Amino acid sequence: MSVNIAIDGPAGAGKSTIAKRLAKELGFIYVDTGAMYRAMAYYFLANQIAAEDEAAIAAACPKVDVTIAYENGEQQVILNGENVNGVIRTEEVGNMASATSVYPVVREKLVELQRQLAKKADVIMDGRDIGTCVLPDAQVKIYLTASSATRAKRRYEELTAKGVSCDLEEIEKDIIERDYRDMHREASPLMQAEDAILVDSSDLTIDEVLEELHSIYEQTVVA
Ligand code: DC
């Protein structure tokens, strides 16, 4: 049976950075489920489908094929045959993903794909509903969070380093809105699974978070 590690938490808590490194160190496959919701969102944006138009979203879903491939160990998201990794990381796509992931029709499609991936291999999967819905039997469940101010500052520094001009207050406002939407939707809202371990990364470095996760893994899987 494959070993599954679920990492959930709000946007910007460091899930993907941490999950990617942990996967490399443990020899697991990293599955970024947010990228799948982003690929669907990218399709809706490209086809001028409004996030509020549930009927149009439902009609579009059967036309959207999302699959995953790995290139040099890096996850690639393939949307209707096209690699969209390079175009799904914008704030616009992230907000659209948050707005359209509220629909069960969108979620059902991706949850099935995620479960198939976890069945086949040892995976570290990050998202919002992995421990609560996608992989309820995961051997390790982590809820990784940080204050909205810390997350906004990290995002601001990341964008500024890339030469993108941005406003810290605006970023924090966006983060708070996104948290609210992800936590209050009806279908699989973001929440800590009862058996998940809470890790608050506000005052921790990446290395310190990794150290904590390694120790949780050792205690729950290896022991
Ligand atoms: O982790 P991310 O920022 O790439 O995710 C983008 C959006 O996708 C997020 O705001 C909510 C949605 N999402 C989800 O509903 N369930 C997941 N498992 C992962 C992401």
Side-chain angles (χ1 to χ4, degrees), residues 34 36 38 47 51 69 71 81-82 91 93 107 129-130 140 145 154 168 179 181-182 184 188 192 194-195 197 211 218:
M36 301 177 189
R38 285 172 182 265
N47 288 277
E71 249 173 47
E82 186 198 339
E91 299 301 298
V93 174
R107 308 200 67 80
D129 60 337
I130 311 305
V140 181
T145 189
R154 287 178 188 158
L168 182 60
D179 286 357
R181 205 167 34 214
D182 292 350
H184 292 86
S188 313
Q192 185 180 344
E194 259 175 36
D195 50 352
I197 298 173
E211 209 175 294
E218 298 284 324

Side-chain angles (χ1 to χ4, degrees), residues 11 15 32-35 37-38 89 94 97-98 101 107 114 126-130 178 182 185:
K15 296 188 302 292
D32 170 1
T33 63
Y37 288 94
R38 285 172 182 265
R89 289 287 146 211
S98 173
S101 60
R107 308 200 67 80
Q114 292 155 13
D126 81 8
R128 304 293 188 286
D129 60 337
I130 311 305
R178 182 116 81 94
D182 292 350
R185 66 180 181 219

Side-chain angles (χ1 to χ4, degrees), residues 171-189:
I171 292 178
E172 186 170 0
K173 194 174 132 261
D174 254 18
I175 282 183
I176 292 170
E177 260 172 37
R178 182 116 81 94
D179 286 357
Y180 186 87
R181 205 167 34 214
D182 292 350
M183 287 170 176
H184 292 86
R185 66 180 181 219
E186 221 164 280
S188 313

Side-chain angles (χ1 to χ4, degrees), residues 79-131:
L79 170 68
N80 291 341
E82 186 198 339
N83 187 328
V84 290
N85 260 36
V87 290
I88 56 172
R89 289 287 146 211
T90 63
E91 299 301 298
E92 186 192 16
V93 174
N95 287 328
M96 185 67 170
S98 173
T100 53
S101 60
V102 302
Y103 299 122
V105 63
V106 171
R107 308 200 67 80
E108 276 156 24
K109 205 176 169 98
L110 298 180
V111 167
E112 186 47 38
L113 170 64
Q114 292 155 13
R115 287 190 178 138
Q116 292 304 327
L117 291 168
K119 212 185 272 178
K120 280 192 284 200
D122 292 342
V123 298
I124 298 186
M125 189 174 283
D126 81 8
R128 304 293 188 286
D129 60 337
I130 311 305

Side-chain angles (χ1 to χ4, degrees), residues 3 43 60 69 72 82 103 108 132 136 142 158 167 173 181 188 200 217:
V3 177
Y43 178 91
N72 303 322
E82 186 198 339
Y103 299 122
E108 276 156 24
T132 52
I142 307 291
E158 202 179 287
D167 179 71
K173 194 174 132 261
R181 205 167 34 214
S188 313
D200 187 330
Y217 175 78

Side-chain angles (χ1 to χ4, degrees), residues 1-51:
M1 200 179 86
S2 56
V3 177
N4 295 163
I5 300 179
I7 304 186
D8 291 300
K15 296 188 302 292
S16 63
T17 308
I18 300 291
K20 234 183 250 177
R21 272 199 43 196
L22 189 64
K24 203 171 248 177
E25 288 164 12
L26 295 177
F28 280 40
I29 286 175
Y30 166 54
V31 182
D32 170 1
T33 63
M36 301 177 189
Y37 288 94
R38 285 172 182 265
M40 299 269 296
Y42 180 77
Y43 178 91
F44 301 139
L45 283 170
N47 288 277
Q48 280 109 37
I49 297 170

